[in-house]
Amino acid sequence: MTVTESMLANAIRALSMDAVQAANSGHPGMPMGMADVATVLFREYLKYDPTEPKWADRDRFVLSAGHGSMLIYSLLHLTGYARPTMEDIRNFRQLGSPCAGHPENFELAGVEATTGPLGSGLATAVGMAIAERHLNTGFGDALVDHRTWVIAGDGCLMEGINHEAIGLAGHLGLGRLIVLWDDNKITIDGAVSLSSSEDVPARYAATGWHVVSCDGHDAADVRRAIDEAVADPRPSLVRCATKIGYGSPNKAGTSGVHGSPLGKDEIAAARAFLGWTAEPFVIPEDIAAEWRKAGEKGAATRAAWTERLSAHADKAEFERRMAGILPADDGVAGHIDALIASPQKIATRKASEIALEAITAAVPEALGGSADLTGSNNTKTKATAPFTKDDYSGRYVYYGIREFGMSAAMNGMALHGGVIPYGGTFLVFSDYCRAAIRLSALQKARVVYVMTHDSIGLGEDGPTHQPIEHVMSLRMIPNLDVYRPADAVETAECWALALADADGPGLLALTRQNLPQLRTEAAGENLSARGAYRIRTAKADRKVVLLATGSEVAIAVETADMLEAEGIGADVVSMPSWSHFDAQPAEYRAGLLPDDALKASIEAGVTFGWERYVGAKGLRFGIDDFGASAPAEVLYDHFGLSAGKITPQIKAALGR
Ligand SMILES: Cc1ncc(C[n+]2csc(CCOP(=O)(O)OP(=O)(O)O)c2C)c(N)n1
Ligand SMILES: [Mg+2]
């Protein structure tokens, strides 16, 4: 019997409904509905080699509709990836199985991005497409010549981030980005028409996309549409008309099949409808063989590519960049030497710009940008020309006012590899980026967020622009290193740390206002790497330790001077990074924060959280309300963040 395309797709359907049934949770509808489209994609278009899943020139495939995770698990298994095994699939959604509820990039090679928050995957794919075009200009078609494919559902297209993502992709003319839209007209609550009546294709077309439609259950029609998408120079939306849960005779086409097991009886009915007689988790050998053959097709293409790489003049540089290994000199050490020789009283955003001049000159993979605040975030350097539709060699993306879209795109760039993205906005708008920052951290993506105007120190723009809870709330995200440097030297040190961390994001909180350079002597090491260190040692008998971050370190030093003038010994600890400090040995931490001294924190943000270091008896100077509009110095005094206002309170606590 010849194996038909429908039989191949039915293998996906069977695995999906059986795995969801076994787990008694999951989403069978989407994989069953998109099985035919995915079969065409993975057999005929997608460039990949399951034996070398990290092959640099593979196509990137992002399942943006992450709830349909069984679709990608089925495909990876059937095409011959080492994982997931059938045992892994049997254990779908169970602890220890790489077949997590939603696809996780760190669980399985072949899962390029963690998806599940709807819309994010598509926006992440935009970044992958940016990275591909950029690297293509540097290394040529011989080494970099691939596409980015996305399967997205109604939800991905409805989310606000979709607007930002497709606007950016359309503007940049990312023609190698192809989105296959599962147009099944169903979401969880029921018909899409309950909540939406927009003309999606018209919206995409208006945004500079090519749009083509097909019958998602007719393989020949899917091929026709994909061929058209591939041929068109614009990014493409392929609208695939499908039936959610196709194969389930009684539930297909309804929201009932979106996120619940079909149930034993309906699975039996589906088996009969599809003519699928094999037991659960068994793929008939002829069908399995046909799928393996599809998976083997890429090997020859990869072998030819490997030969081209071997003969390529830029082989070593290409491999270095794709491996994510920084150049031997990232430019920071020389820059710090210059600062020590000639101290700078500048805002840390300006210090960041100067550090970036050195970094972007030394690290060609650094690819910057800003969400329309280039002049305020100080993110653009001489080495970074604009990345435009006409010149993808540029290293600076004008993201427009698209903070979430920028952040998600940066995730995609980092996950693609070969580039290290950094991008800026005001710290207060980190809230707009937050869902993507969380995904940077979860996905272990090296993204550097440059967040300026980091406190009431920004002054007159007032409470809407003044971060209060932001630094503290960002510290709560696991695997995100938040840095709040105190001066130009710490800023450079924090940049070096953020760049060096290949396994997660860093976020720099930087000031608008000028700060004195407190570090004027060569340290011989990156002191910020400790997370916190003594920047000033008590002269008199130590009674108090002042802990501060960023712009408040200078205030802490002034406070210490006032206390010392009255014979009260005060250490000042600068604490640019909580996460780095928490990773230090216990003796180091205890040495900085001794039990026998009063501890006081000074930070122009919420005091919530500082108990962790100052203890129940410590003092916490900060701001637990929204800011106000006034010049920065007036605000610092108004909110009590000055040496003159802090010193008496410390004396009182010491009984002096
Ligand atoms: C940001 C976000 N909001 C809500 C959800 C919960 N959720 C998961 S799937 C889904 C419906 C998605 O509809 P659609 O994309 O059409 O998927 P289909 O039902 O067709 O499989 C929702 C609301 C989510 N995963 N992410
Ligand atoms: Mg839908």
Side-chain angles (χ1 to χ4, degrees):
M1 187 169 84
T2 48
V3 174
T4 63
E5 284 172 304
S6 313
M7 288 158 75
L8 295 172
N10 287 344
I12 297 171
R13 294 190 170 99
L15 284 176
S16 300
M17 65 184 185
D18 289 336
V20 170
Q21 187 67 29
N24 197 24
S25 83
H27 304 77
M30 187 268 163
M32 295 177 79
M34 280 298 274
D36 298 307
V37 174
T39 298
V40 171
L41 177 64
F42 272 69
R43 285 184 76 220
E44 296 172 54
Y45 292 92
L46 195 74
K47 180 166 78 166
Y48 64 109
D49 180 353
T51 66
E52 199 62 49
K54 294 287 176 194
W55 167 28
D57 199 32
R58 68 190 182 281
D59 281 359
R60 304 304 196 266
F61 170 71
V62 176
L63 183 68
S64 189
H67 56 281
S69 57
M70 268 312 303
L71 180 72
I72 189 163
Y73 300 151
S74 303
L75 288 162
L76 296 180
H77 176 76
L78 291 166
T79 53
Y81 283 77
R83 303 286 289 270
T85 61
M86 193 59 94
E87 195 56 23
D88 294 332
I89 290 178
R90 278 178 185 276
N91 288 313
F92 175 53
R93 295 189 152 230
Q94 306 310 306
L95 195 64
S97 171
C99 297
H102 292 79
E104 306 287 358
N105 68 313
F106 49 87
E107 291 284 6
L108 287 169
V111 173
E112 303 283 358
T114 288
T115 53
L118 297 174
S120 278
L122 197 161
T124 300
V126 171
M128 293 178 179
I130 289 173
E132 191 274 342
R133 279 299 84 189
H134 177 68
L135 291 166
N136 172 270
T137 63
F139 296 98
D141 287 347
L143 297 190
V144 185
D145 183 21
H146 53 269
R147 294 180 195 284
T148 303
W149 302 86
V150 176
I151 287 184
D154 302 302
C156 294
L157 272 51
M158 215 183 282
E159 289 286 355
I161 192 176
N162 187 265
H163 178 67
E164 298 183 25
I166 72 168
L168 189 60
H171 175 71
L172 292 172
L174 301 173
R176 291 168 159 261
L177 175 63
I178 299 179
V179 174
L180 305 166
W181 167 28
D182 179 17
D183 178 21
N184 60 20
K185 300 187 163 47
I186 289 288
T187 66
I188 292 178
D189 277 355
V192 168
S193 61
L194 283 173
S195 59
S196 200
S197 42
E198 78 182 42
D199 183 342
V200 172
R203 177 164 63 84
Y204 270 69
T207 313
W209 283 57
H210 158 252
V211 181
V212 58
S213 298
C214 67
D215 176 346
H217 299 300
D218 175 342
D221 204 37
V222 172
R223 270 192 287 278
R224 174 197 54 78
I226 295 183
D227 284 340
E228 197 183 291
V230 167
D232 197 280
R234 295 165 292 179
S236 288
L237 177 72
V238 180
R239 174 189 195 172
C240 308
T242 63
K243 202 171 219 188
I244 189 169
Y246 182 93
S248 161
N250 302 301
K251 295 189 173 177
T254 73
S255 60
V257 76
H258 161 90
S260 316
L262 295 183
K264 275 204 165 57
D265 294 347
E266 187 61 13
I267 284 182
R271 277 189 149 68
F273 178 89
L274 297 170
W276 190 266
T277 52
E279 291 297 303
F281 307 109
V282 173
I283 306 295
E285 184 44 39
D286 52 346
I287 293 175
E290 198 58 33
W291 265 119
R292 274 197 304 275
K293 230 165 72 189
E296 285 160 5
K297 270 176 49 183
T301 315
R302 183 179 64 82
W305 179 88
T306 306
E307 265 180 43
R308 291 198 298 278
L309 176 65
S310 306
H312 205 283
D314 298 328
K315 176 175 190 283
E317 175 66 2
F318 183 76
E319 290 183 331
R320 178 189 74 75
R321 288 187 53 174
M322 290 310 296
I325 297 165
L326 290 174
D329 181 4
D330 63 9
V332 173
H335 163 59
I336 291 180
D337 289 345
L339 288 172
I340 299 295
S342 164
Q344 304 286 313
K345 184 181 177 180
I346 48 178
T348 50
R349 62 174 173 148
K350 181 69 185 172
S352 170
E353 177 187 319
I354 304 172
L356 272 173
E357 285 291 355
I359 290 165
T360 53
V363 183
E365 58 268 42
L367 211 155
S370 167
D372 201 47
L373 288 169
T374 294
S376 300
N377 302 145
N378 300 57
T379 34
K380 176 113 173 44
T381 65
K382 286 183 213 71
T384 55
F387 176 94
T388 67
K389 185 176 175 167
D390 302 317
D391 186 0
Y392 291 132
S393 72
R395 291 168 57 195
Y396 195 83
V397 181
Y398 287 106
Y399 286 103
I401 306 96
R402 300 183 176 106
E403 294 84 5
F404 190 9
M406 168 179 76
S407 306
M410 291 201 293
N411 284 338
M413 291 152 78
L415 293 171
H416 180 282
V419 297
I420 300 176
Y422 69 88
T425 183
F426 289 150
L427 179 62
V428 80
F429 303 133
S430 61
D431 286 338
Y432 277 43
C433 309
R434 193 171 176 104
I437 297 175
R438 184 171 195 273
L439 283 174
S440 313
L442 176 59
Q443 297 183 92
K444 309 187 204 300
R446 175 160 46 184
V447 173
V448 185
Y449 294 92
V450 182
M451 302 268 174
T452 68
H453 297 58
D454 72 345
S455 74
I456 54 161
L458 66 86
E460 294 84 346
D461 272 343
T464 57
H465 283 53
Q466 291 164 352
I468 295 291
E469 73 280 20
H470 300 77
V471 168
M472 195 60 79
S473 74
L474 289 160
R475 285 180 181 132
M476 299 193 305
I477 298 180
N479 196 37
L480 169 68
D481 288 315
V482 176
Y483 301 100
R484 189 159 187 261
D487 72 355
V489 173
E490 276 194 13
T491 302
E493 289 179 340
C494 292
W495 254 113
L497 295 170
L499 276 181
D501 181 5
D503 299 318
L507 184 148
L508 296 150
L510 304 168
T511 68
R512 170 176 185 262
Q513 74 272 32
N514 286 343
L515 302 177
Q517 185 173 321
L518 301 172
R519 292 269 301 280
T520 50
E521 279 166 38
E525 63 174 306
N526 184 330
L527 292 176
S528 299
R530 294 275 199 178
Y533 63 95
R534 200 172 288 123
I535 196 165
R536 182 194 185 285
T537 305
K539 298 188 185 83
D541 192 21
R542 181 178 61 202
K543 291 283 182 271
V544 58
V545 175
L546 304 171
L547 283 109
T549 75
S551 38
E552 286 70 68
V553 178
I555 294 171
V557 169
E558 246 187 273
T559 305
D561 286 343
M562 284 192 174
L563 292 166
E564 296 277 359
E566 303 198 34
I568 301 169
D571 279 357
V572 176
V573 170
S574 177
M575 200 168 198
S577 165
W578 280 29
S579 51
H580 281 263
F581 180 63
D582 289 346
Q584 298 305 307
E587 318 82 73
Y588 179 81
R589 285 181 281 127
L592 273 195
L593 307 175
D595 287 338
D596 63 357
L598 172 70
K599 288 172 283 289
S601 64
I602 312 175
E603 183 172 73
V606 288
T607 60
F608 178 97
W610 278 105
E611 308 86 336
R612 183 183 181 90
Y613 302 114
V614 303
K617 292 188 184 134
L619 300 178
R620 293 173 285 143
F621 298 97
I623 306 168
D624 291 311
D625 198 351
F626 295 112
S629 298
E633 316 80 70
V634 175
L635 289 174
Y636 266 87
D637 185 64
H638 174 74
F639 286 105
L641 295 176
S642 68
K645 290 203 163 153
I646 291 171
T647 304
Q649 296 179 67
I650 290 176
K651 281 171 60 187
L654 291 170
R656 300 278 290 258

